[in-house]
Amino acid sequence: MAEALQKVVEEDRQGEAYAPFAADPNIFNKKFYIESYGCQMNFSDSEIVASILHNEGYGATRNYEDADLVLLNTCSIREKAEVTVRNRLQAFKKVKDQNPGLLIGVLGCMAERLKAKFLEEEKLVDIVVGPDAYRSLPSLISEAGGGQKSVNVLLSRDETYADISPVRLDSNGVTAFVSIMRGCNNMCTFCVVPFTRGRERSRDAESIVAECKDLFDRGFKEVTLLGQNVDSYYFTPSFADGHQPDSVNFAQLLERVALISPLLRIRFSTSHPKDITDDVLHTMARYNNICKYIHLPVQSGNTRILQLMNRTYTREWYLNKVKRIREIMPDCGISSDVISGFCTETEEEHQDTLSIMELSKYDMSYMFSYSERPGTLAARRYTDDVPEDVKKRRLIEIIDLQNALSRESYRNDIGKTFEVLIEGNSKKSDKDWCGRNSQNKMVVFAKGEVPLSKGDYVQVHITSATSATLMGHMV
Ligand code: SAH
Ligand code: SF4
Ligand code: F3S
């Protein structure tokens, strides 16, 4: 039980935050500090914001106490994510009291959800900017510098920041995220994302390939293509002369990125089970450098609950998709997102979630208890009627089961040999390297006498395992 509770905290991505590197003070005359919460899209957006601020003479600092501008890139996905942000703002209040010239800005999904209300609720906030309005940051900063609170939360139908070259924050120099689309059209009833990030739109394929190629030329070895629903990626170029070149779907985009170099690994996230096609699966199988790993969130294992969630697939349909993945790529890793205690969920329906996890044999899952979000379809249509203690107990059962499934999955790798991309020193010892295999499992192994560095590929023979790490030696 204690292990399970600890996992709740670990698996909850909303708690993650980071501060970036310190920039050269000779080039930049002002300093910004940024913390990001929520999904990888937000972390990726912070790198776009850093690029916009660099052009304005702002360098990044790791210390908010000596910043001229403090930014929080926020998440609204669950209530707890918003509580974390409000607590964080309290920490900045002390600094602002001492330095009234300090500007504090709130970016991202919570800014979009609360809009100008944020300024009323949190008096110390000067700037509120939604995810599609980052280009207006320079003018908002200068308005706020003149003493006027400023807000831009306009959502866009076409903004993809395609032409902005992100400044990589806190990068290991080996792996990078590349945003390929924005927004979401799916309207899962529990989810706030369609309201905070607007309509789905795909980024120009050429600009994606160019960004990935540039990363590879600068020594990066792995790109993760990001979107809320990458499988519905669809870009139609339009040329002024009336000539209509071919559109690009996700399978074609994957192939184009894979062709940059066999030494560049490609990952992607997230896949909606309804949209991932055989075409995508066959493309993955065809290229050794497209990693054999799919994050395929199930949310619930019960068809009635899936319908209430508007996920548009049934239990059987999902299980068939998993079967198809394993037919085409027997060695493919699969992970999931699971929600416990959605509106009206019964005990039997919860059992269906446990059994679909067992049948799907996930290597890993992100697991949450349902948190009602204001304005979502579920908040308007259904009653959040599963008591909090029942939601938590079901969540712990889900986590305990996932721990057992992960242990089994990792144990099954003992005796196998994998190609591992070295990401850096292992957390525990600088005598060990760590990196991931194609299936996204973390592998730790002794450096020994071999002269290697991060970014190198090595073959590692697995000799032992926990439920989250494989250990072995180079061969
Ligand atoms: N676009 C991705 C997921 C984005 S949000 C997808 O469709 O899979 C990440 C995860 O947060 C979701 O998969 C879901 O499991 C969880 N989540 C979203 N809204 C939630 C809510 N209101 N309460 C609890 N968990 C939620
Ligand atoms: Fe939310 Fe569903 Fe869109 Fe994912 S697919 S972001 S869960 S609405
Ligand atoms: Fe959170 Fe927005 Fe991502 S709500 S999960 S930061 S899209």
Side-chain angles (χ1 to χ4, degrees):
M1 190 92 155
E3 184 191 25
L5 279 170
Q6 189 188 344
K7 262 293 220 275
V8 179
V9 179
E10 283 171 8
E11 304 290 17
D12 217 335
R13 286 176 288 182
Q14 75 205 11
E16 285 176 22
Y18 77 161
F21 67 97
D24 184 349
N26 297 319
I27 306 174
F28 303 105
N29 52 14
K30 289 166 281 183
K31 288 186 206 147
F32 77 96
Y33 170 89
I34 190 165
E35 263 177 29
S36 306
Y37 294 84
C39 63
Q40 279 151 356
M41 295 292 297
N42 248 17
F43 285 70
S44 169
D45 280 3
S46 290
E47 303 189 324
I48 288 168
V49 167
S51 174
I52 294 170
L53 292 175
H54 267 198
N55 290 337
E56 296 297 303
Y58 280 92
T61 170
R62 280 180 191 280
N63 181 5
Y64 65 81
E65 288 174 354
D66 52 57
D68 304 285
L69 172 67
V70 166
L71 298 172
L72 277 186
N73 197 353
T74 62
C75 173
S76 285
I77 201 83
R78 287 167 290 276
E79 194 184 355
K80 203 177 116 201
E82 295 200 349
V83 172
T84 308
V85 167
R86 291 196 195 268
N87 290 339
R88 204 58 193 131
L89 282 171
Q90 286 318 303
F92 298 141
K93 192 170 180 314
K94 279 196 218 106
V95 192
K96 176 117 174 164
D97 286 344
Q98 279 166 9
N99 171 13
L102 171 71
L103 294 180
I104 296 185
V106 177
L107 318 177
C109 292
M110 199 176 164
E112 189 62 50
R113 193 178 83 71
L114 292 167
K115 304 186 170 59
K117 263 210 323 229
F118 220 118
L119 297 175
E120 291 159 32
E121 292 176 18
E122 302 283 348
K123 295 280 182 252
L124 80 163
V125 173
D126 304 291
I127 304 168
V128 176
V129 199
D132 285 347
Y134 296 144
R135 283 181 207 269
S136 68
L137 258 170
S139 61
L140 296 174
I141 292 169
S142 81
E143 267 174 43
Q148 203 187 330
K149 305 245 169 191
S150 53
V151 182
N152 186 349
V153 287
L154 285 176
L155 287 171
S156 157
R157 277 183 175 263
D158 47 28
E159 178 64 272
T160 59
Y161 302 110
D163 56 314
I164 297 183
S165 180
V167 171
R168 304 292 162 186
L169 299 169
D170 257 6
S171 166
N172 59 10
V174 179
T175 60
F177 294 111
V178 175
S179 175
I180 65 163
M181 59 203 297
R182 301 182 70 81
C184 184
N185 284 356
N186 279 330
M187 287 295 180
C188 302
T189 56
F190 52 80
C191 185
V192 78
V193 172
F195 303 95
T196 61
R197 295 215 157 232
R199 306 289 294 171
E200 178 185 295
R201 68 222 92 126
S202 295
R203 175 180 169 191
D204 186 338
E206 296 292 329
S207 79
I208 296 167
V209 176
E211 186 175 327
C212 295
K213 182 159 187 322
D214 175 61
L215 284 163
F216 182 68
D217 291 343
R218 285 162 43 205
F220 285 82
K221 293 290 172 55
E222 184 180 295
V223 291
T224 302
L225 307 180
L226 287 183
Q228 292 299 351
N229 181 12
V230 288
D231 299 277
S232 70
Y233 176 88
Y234 196 78
F235 180 73
T236 309
S238 62
F239 277 27
D241 63 5
H243 168 72
Q244 188 70 36
D246 291 340
S247 298
V248 184
N249 67 21
F250 184 58
Q252 291 160 330
L253 180 72
L254 268 181
E255 179 155 48
R256 284 200 198 182
V257 179
L259 286 170
I260 291 173
S261 165
L263 291 177
L264 179 68
R265 271 185 174 182
I266 297 101
R267 299 187 185 280
F268 54 87
S269 188
T270 298
S271 291
H272 194 300
K274 79 176 162 59
D275 291 314
I276 188 163
T277 58
D278 273 11
D279 198 10
V280 167
L281 301 179
H282 286 301
T283 306
M284 288 177 74
R286 217 164 39 240
Y287 290 91
N288 191 37
N289 58 331
I290 305 182
C291 290
K292 304 296 175 282
Y293 168 67
I294 301 176
H295 185 57
L296 195 72
V298 67
Q299 315 297 0
S300 163
N302 175 269
T303 297
R304 187 186 74 89
I305 293 294
L306 287 168
Q307 260 161 6
L308 287 185
M309 289 176 162
N310 193 29
R311 287 293 286 185
T312 71
Y313 51 83
T314 61
R315 173 185 173 88
E316 291 68 33
W317 200 93
Y318 182 94
L319 284 170
N320 258 321
K321 197 49 91 177
V322 170
K323 189 162 147 247
R324 195 73 191 127
I325 293 170
R326 302 224 191 270
E327 273 165 15
I328 297 174
M329 290 172 288
D331 62 341
C332 192
I334 304 181
S335 60
S336 190
D337 290 350
V338 184
I339 298 178
S340 77
F342 187 63
C343 311
T344 73
E345 184 189 70
T346 66
E347 214 48 49
E348 292 77 60
E349 289 165 339
H350 162 62
Q351 291 300 324
D352 283 345
T353 296
L354 296 176
S355 73
I356 209 168
M357 291 173 68
E358 255 173 299
L359 291 167
S360 307
K361 295 192 168 49
Y362 299 128
D363 301 301
M364 191 271 291
S365 293
Y366 295 102
M367 299 157 280
F368 314 100
S369 63
Y370 173 58
S371 165
E372 186 179 81
R373 307 310 295 131
T376 54
L377 293 176
R380 284 185 264 158
R381 282 185 198 159
Y382 316 131
T383 321
D384 179 14
D385 57 357
V386 177
E388 216 44 47
D389 58 330
V390 176
K391 282 184 191 169
K392 281 280 171 296
R393 195 252 307 146
R394 289 181 189 167
L395 177 61
I396 285 167
E397 289 174 13
I398 288 169
I399 291 168
D400 283 344
L401 173 60
Q402 184 56 57
N403 282 343
L405 293 173
S406 299
R407 247 192 310 276
E408 189 181 325
S409 156
Y410 280 67
R411 203 170 42 215
N412 284 341
D413 287 336
I414 297 175
K416 294 182 191 166
T417 299
F418 294 109
E419 183 181 72
V420 174
L421 171 62
I422 301 178
E423 290 180 21
N425 289 338
S426 95
K427 270 192 200 139
K428 286 195 187 136
S429 159
D430 58 10
K431 293 196 173 60
D432 293 336
W433 288 121
C434 75
R436 287 172 195 278
N437 67 4
S438 176
Q439 290 72 17
N440 206 37
K441 286 178 177 163
M442 189 54 89
V443 182
V444 173
F445 56 98
K447 290 181 177 176
E449 300 304 310
V450 195
L452 288 167
S453 51
K454 58 183 190 170
D456 288 341
Y457 288 99
V458 280
Q459 297 290 327
V460 180
H461 183 76
I462 306 304
T463 51
S464 63
T466 68
S467 61
T469 315
L470 300 174
M471 278 82 66
H473 55 76
M474 278 183 271
V475 290

